[in-house]
Amino acid sequence: MINKFPWWKNLLIFLVIAVGFFYALPNLYGEDPALQISGTRPAHGMEIDAKTQAQIKAELEAKNIEGVYALENGQLLIRFPSTEQQLAARETVNKILGDNYIVALNLAPATPTWMRSLGMHPLKLGLDLRGGVHFLMEVDMDEAMKKMRTQLVNDFRSELRNHDIRLSGARAEGDHVIVEFRDDASRKAAEELLASNHKDFVIKSIDQDGKFRLMATMTPGKISQIRTNAVEQNINIIRNRVNELGVAEPLVQRQGADRVVVELPGIQDTARAKEILGATATLEFRLVDGNADVAAAASGHVPAGCEVIYDGKGYPVVVQKQVILTGDHIVDASSSTDENGRPQVNISLDSRGGSIMSNFTKDNVGKPMATNFIEYKVVPDEDPNAPKPGDKNYKPKFKKVEQVINVATIQTRLGSSFRITGIDSAKEAHNLALLLRAGALIAPIQIVEERTIGPSLGQQNIDNGMKAMIYGLTFLCIFMVIYYKAFGLIANLALFFNMVLLVGVMSLIPGATMTLPGIAGIVLTLGMAVDANVLIYERIREEIKQGRSIQIAIHEGYARAFVTIADSNITSFITALILFMVGTGAVKGFALVLMIGLASSMFTAVTACRAIVNIAWGGRNLKKLSI
């Protein structure tokens, strides 16, 4: 019998819609202003426990600030009835806990616990809907390449010495690494070794001024790989720093060849975010030349293989140029106080770093070692015609700032754990530890664009978007009922199903975020869904005008319109897929919503609508149809 689905098919359609409705339910509960409190290093005892929670609760209640407390995995989440109480509570909690804890403003979903236990979560809202801060950051590729060449010089030295090949010097010169030897035999042995171990380099012999030299040049493929890795590693490090800030649902992604987009929904302390994200702090450990004449070195007479770096009080320190270890090997860092109550930073190294430090200190007991703190600061371009921050071609200029923060005599063989003293304040020690454990940026990075969106503007965007969608849907539904009568009601019901499925699927996808362009994607999807119904209904009308029976007209209307609907939706889906693959940010969000909406509209307009029509009119001897 035509226009009749088997019972299992009707049941399956009902189950799909029910599941979509089930997972869309959490979006009805909204969000509460909240504080998210966590320890900077749980492994060192800095975590929230029941005692700390009771202390916070007592202080807040004393100031008539009511909240709902939830302690889980060493983190405390406090919900408040209003934003005013949330902000007042943050000031109080900061005074209680100090610098050893992260107190972040948040918006916590008001979803019931039983829903969260089933994996039901509301849609994540983007920056334009929730409010927060947007940074566009640019990686200094010149400095990344310079650091890589310096590292290569050290690697070549170590590699040749491990194979008993004597060299008289190695240095970075422009885009090349130059290695000098005392005789041609050593050079040939080195060329064979380096060429076999470093396939991404062009290594050739050069004779100049009677010296035997090798010149190693990176291939274009290697240079491209280094540039890509510099951006990707910086992205990972920035993600770690965002986690240290305690931001919920951040966005960190690459844009173009050397830029990174960072969006921090809900963040209001933008100065703190900029300080932590843009900082390029790292450490170097170097041996101090104890025999050098410090006064002579400060005036320019520096011993060979050494350089002068000043400490925090402006005193010169003569250190060897060869770096023992860099901050890249640091896996953990925490601030504390020593036995005299002075601030210090406890350092833990990875296995390779621990091995390097152990081997070096074993042979240098009794010698002074300096801890050199390095950061890169942006300096203004002296050229008045140079692009300014925010311009398309703006390239920031960085200045390397070095400072010896500690000189200590190596008393014994060190391992993978040791401490740094000589830091001025507890806050400075805390910030240094935070930056070191989050990772040192591979290359300096500069914020070239900053946008701040307030929570009130985000709410205004939501309200305006919802108004536009409600007004559009209302007029559309009225038109469909007037023009297509009973079938118009079914089309309106299909629109509701489509909306439910779209929101349900978006809520299920872990990385999906609803933005203002996403709302535009929903509106476009609903319009295209109605378009499918219009094609079907007009085809049914034509079949009836041609004298077909009602049942045949319904059957032919759905069957013949399907090809046109499928063709239209598939081409639109391919376009949305391309946008999703090549787009970023708002474009990507719009494309994702459009793809999900196109798939759900095909289901609701063709299958779900057909099921309702079959139940209402299928198998009946009809003389007239309300269409």
Side-chain angles (χ1 to χ4, degrees):
M1 182 182 293
I2 62 172
N3 300 328
K4 278 290 185 181
F5 282 164
W7 66 269
W8 62 265
K9 195 169 185 178
N10 288 328
L11 180 62
L12 185 61
I13 293 168
F14 171 78
L15 283 175
V16 169
I17 295 172
V19 169
F21 183 79
F22 186 70
Y23 279 98
L25 273 178
N27 294 280
L28 299 176
Y29 290 89
E31 294 178 314
D32 296 327
L35 285 184
Q36 181 178 304
I37 308 170
S38 56
T40 54
R41 292 309 295 169
H44 291 82
M46 297 175 188
E47 62 178 7
I48 304 296
D49 53 20
K51 182 179 178 181
T52 310
Q53 177 184 336
Q55 180 188 3
I56 294 171
K57 187 175 182 180
E59 290 287 341
L60 293 181
E61 287 180 349
K63 296 191 175 185
N64 297 319
I65 301 174
E66 298 295 329
V68 178
Y69 298 76
L71 180 61
E72 186 176 349
N73 299 325
Q75 288 191 343
L76 179 63
L77 186 72
I78 313 175
R79 300 170 184 265
F80 301 96
S82 67
T83 306
E84 290 75 16
Q85 290 201 10
Q86 176 199 36
L87 296 174
R90 182 179 66 164
E91 292 184 12
T92 303
V93 173
N94 275 328
K95 290 178 182 177
I96 298 170
L97 299 181
D99 292 333
N100 288 329
Y101 295 87
I102 299 167
V103 182
L105 296 173
N106 201 351
L107 289 172
T111 312
T113 306
W114 68 269
M115 284 189 176
R116 293 198 297 271
S117 66
L118 295 174
M120 300 169 63
H121 301 282
L123 269 172
K124 298 180 181 67
L125 299 181
L127 198 68
D128 50 0
L129 299 181
R130 171 170 284 188
V133 63
H134 164 101
F135 295 124
L136 178 62
M137 313 178 86
E138 184 172 78
V139 180
D140 183 2
M141 286 300 176
D142 293 336
E143 187 62 34
M145 298 302 297
K146 183 179 177 181
K147 286 184 69 175
M148 177 55 65
R149 286 190 289 269
T150 302
Q151 183 63 44
L152 281 169
V153 170
N154 295 330
D155 290 346
F156 283 0
R157 277 200 188 104
S158 300
E159 196 171 341
L160 294 173
R161 285 170 179 166
N162 290 338
H163 287 81
D164 296 324
I165 300 174
R166 300 187 67 182
L167 67 158
S168 57
R171 68 182 185 277
E173 190 175 283
D175 294 332
H176 316 288
V177 174
I178 305 296
V179 188
E180 293 183 356
F181 302 89
R182 292 174 181 163
D183 54 66
D184 190 47
S186 298
R187 181 175 65 176
K188 287 181 179 178
E191 183 176 6
E192 184 178 345
L193 175 67
L194 296 177
S196 62
N197 292 346
H198 301 275
K199 303 293 186 183
D200 293 327
F201 289 82
V202 177
I203 299 173
K204 63 180 182 179
S205 300
I206 55 173
D207 292 316
Q208 189 177 2
D209 302 329
K211 296 180 179 178
F212 303 95
R213 293 175 176 173
L214 282 181
M215 184 172 70
T217 307
M218 284 180 276
T219 62
K222 179 66 174 179
I223 292 173
S224 176
Q225 180 187 352
I226 291 172
R227 295 171 73 91
T228 300
N229 289 344
V231 177
E232 293 298 330
Q233 289 182 51
N234 272 359
I235 286 174
N236 290 333
I237 292 163
I238 289 172
R239 284 199 180 105
N240 291 337
R241 293 184 177 184
V242 168
N243 292 338
E244 293 284 356
L245 286 170
V247 180
E249 301 164 12
L251 171 70
V252 182
Q253 65 183 22
R254 182 173 182 170
Q255 185 178 88
D258 55 3
R259 291 191 169 187
V260 180
V261 172
V262 181
E263 292 187 353
L264 308 176
I267 278 287
Q268 296 175 25
D269 190 354
T270 57
R272 172 68 169 161
K274 288 170 69 175
E275 177 188 352
I276 297 303
L277 294 180
T280 53
T282 187
L283 293 180
E284 286 180 351
F285 300 97
R286 301 197 196 184
L287 201 61
V288 176
D289 190 340
N291 300 320
D293 185 337
V294 177
S299 62
H301 301 287
V302 184
C306 296
E307 63 179 316
V308 176
I309 301 175
Y310 291 84
D311 64 12
K313 296 179 180 178
Y315 295 123
V317 181
V318 182
V319 297
Q320 294 184 3
K321 287 185 177 179
Q322 183 177 356
V323 177
I324 303 166
L325 198 72
T326 66
D328 297 341
H329 295 286
I330 295 173
V331 295
D332 193 13
S334 62
S335 60
S336 63
T337 55
D338 62 13
E339 55 274 8
N340 297 316
R342 292 173 297 193
Q344 66 178 21
V345 174
N346 306 303
I347 300 289
S348 295
L349 303 175
D350 59 19
S351 57
R352 184 165 178 262
S355 176
I356 293 171
M357 182 62 77
S358 176
N359 291 333
F360 180 84
T361 53
K362 176 187 67 173
D363 301 327
N364 291 277
V365 172
K367 296 180 180 179
M369 182 175 69
T371 304
N372 186 30
F373 176 72
I374 303 172
E375 62 178 333
Y376 292 86
K377 294 185 177 180
V378 179
V379 294
D381 198 323
E382 296 178 358
D383 183 0
N385 299 319
K388 299 295 186 290
D391 294 345
K392 183 178 180 182
N393 299 320
Y394 172 68
K395 290 283 184 182
K397 283 194 170 184
F398 293 92
K399 179 183 178 183
K400 185 178 182 181
V401 179
E402 298 180 276
Q403 179 184 313
V404 172
I405 59 174
N406 170 264
V407 176
T409 302
I410 301 171
Q411 302 288 353
T412 183
R413 183 177 184 176
L414 299 177
S416 58
S417 298
F418 55 95
R419 63 182 180 174
I420 300 171
T421 57
I423 301 170
D424 292 337
S425 66
K427 184 176 182 180
E428 191 176 320
H430 168 69
N431 281 344
L432 176 59
L434 189 156
L435 291 172
L436 293 177
R437 68 172 171 264
L441 293 173
I442 304 303
I445 193 164
Q446 166 66 6
I447 297 171
V448 296
E449 180 184 295
E450 176 187 349
R451 295 200 305 269
T452 303
I453 299 174
S456 59
L457 181 58
Q459 187 59 48
Q460 185 180 357
N461 286 337
I462 295 175
D463 295 341
N464 291 340
M466 291 302 294
K467 284 178 183 177
M469 195 158 53
I470 291 169
Y471 292 158
L473 278 174
T474 301
F475 288 125
L476 183 63
C477 291
I478 292 172
F479 169 80
M480 291 298 289
V481 171
I482 293 173
Y483 197 73
Y484 290 111
K485 302 176 184 177
F487 272 70
L489 286 173
I490 294 174
N492 293 340
L493 190 59
L495 283 180
F496 173 73
F497 291 159
N498 191 17
M499 174 74 78
V500 167
L501 285 176
L502 197 156
V503 173
V505 172
M506 286 284 290
S507 300
L508 271 173
I509 299 175
T513 303
M514 180 57 67
T515 61
L516 202 57
I519 294 178
I522 292 177
V523 175
L524 178 59
T525 296
L526 296 178
M528 296 185 71
V530 170
D531 182 56
N533 288 109
V534 169
L535 287 172
I536 293 169
Y537 296 168
E538 289 299 323
R539 188 70 196 183
I540 292 174
R541 281 180 168 181
E542 287 181 12
E543 295 294 331
I544 293 174
K545 286 179 182 178
Q546 292 176 9
R548 302 287 181 92
S549 68
I550 297 295
Q551 297 298 336
I552 295 293
I554 293 174
H555 177 77
E556 291 297 322
Y558 275 96
R560 296 189 178 186
F562 177 78
V563 176
T564 305
I565 295 168
D567 180 66
S568 171
N569 281 271
I570 289 171
T571 52
S572 298
F573 189 90
I574 292 171
T575 304
L577 181 62
I578 294 171
L579 282 175
F580 182 79
M581 292 172 66
V582 303
T584 57
V587 174
K588 201 162 191 165
F590 171 80
L592 178 63
V593 172
L594 187 57
M595 284 192 295
I596 297 172
L598 288 170
S600 64
S601 67
M602 280 287 290
F603 172 77
T604 55
V606 177
T607 307
C609 262
R610 180 72 185 274
I612 297 172
V613 169
N614 287 351
I615 292 171
W617 291 286
R620 294 167 56 187
N621 186 17
L622 300 171
K623 300 297 183 183
K624 190 177 180 181
L625 194 64
S626 179
I627 194 172

